Amino acid sequence: MQTFRIIQPTPALKPFIRYYWILQDSTSGIVSQRTLPTGCMSLVFHRGDRLKVTNRDELQPRWFISGQETGFTDVISTGNIEMIVAVFQPHTAKIFFHLPVSLFRDMNIPIKDMEDIELSDLAKKIEDADNHEIAIDQIEQFLLSRLLSENNYNIPRLTAVIRHINNSAQTNIKGLADIACLSEKQFCRVFSEHIGTTPKDFLRIIRLQRTLSVLQHNPGIGFAQLSYECGYTDQSHMIKEFKLFSGYTPKEYLNCYAPISDYFSNI
């Protein structure tokens, strides 16, 4: 049996945390899933068995920070999964970890390797929590304490940039730098430190997520129209990019999965 819940953060954290999700799965037998880049980093706690990342041939750490992913990942479970995950807004994870999050790109960094006593203490509290509500409360207390001790003047700049990216399928790095009131060189450095990947790669990931969103809400759309609405140069460009990030052409993907955008479904 599988249960999945999304929990909204407290209002003070909403500008920084998109949501929390909790997954419990005691299904017997192997369950496999392909995950695509979402444009967001996460803080992940396993309270049950861990997932195996098959394309890396490794188990996920028990508690870890999941950096920006730039490709698809295949994971499998054998049941008895219990996960609690905090999903950050695209540009806010750096506030809570005091490091350039470009260091986390395409990596799952175990909390024990962070040399962060407060974060390690949080992981132990999550493991010992009597229920999920207490666990979420512990996460929020930790995040709020970090938020109060940090004053990052780049967050308002990047908030405006992310808002523009979300609302516009057609944009470019120069225009984003202008919104941030930074030179292109400064903008690319600040963007990478806070979001975990380059502006170019992030725009490609969000274009993928926009494609999934359009397919989710307009399943009958033609691929030529789809490529135009999502900001690709043409249909062949869309197919090439989609396969790069998902391992499938759009047609192949639709034969295997129902299209769901993790990014645009929860903005």
Side-chain angles (χ1 to χ4, degrees), residues 110-121:
I111 286 177
K112 65 181 178 62
D113 293 345
M114 288 289 292
E115 298 182 354
D116 185 325
I117 294 173
E118 293 174 343
L119 188 56
S120 295
D121 287 345

Side-chain angles (χ1 to χ4, degrees), residues 93-111:
K94 183 177 183 293
I95 295 174
F96 302 99
F97 303 123
H98 310 310
L99 290 168
V101 295
S102 52
L103 298 173
F104 300 88
R105 176 172 163 151
D106 286 319
M107 297 178 69
N108 293 331
I109 305 296
I111 286 177

Side-chain angles (χ1 to χ4, degrees), residues 83-96:
M83 298 177 69
I84 301 176
V85 180
V87 181
F88 298 97
Q89 298 288 1
H91 57 299
T92 60
K94 183 177 183 293
I95 295 174
F96 302 99

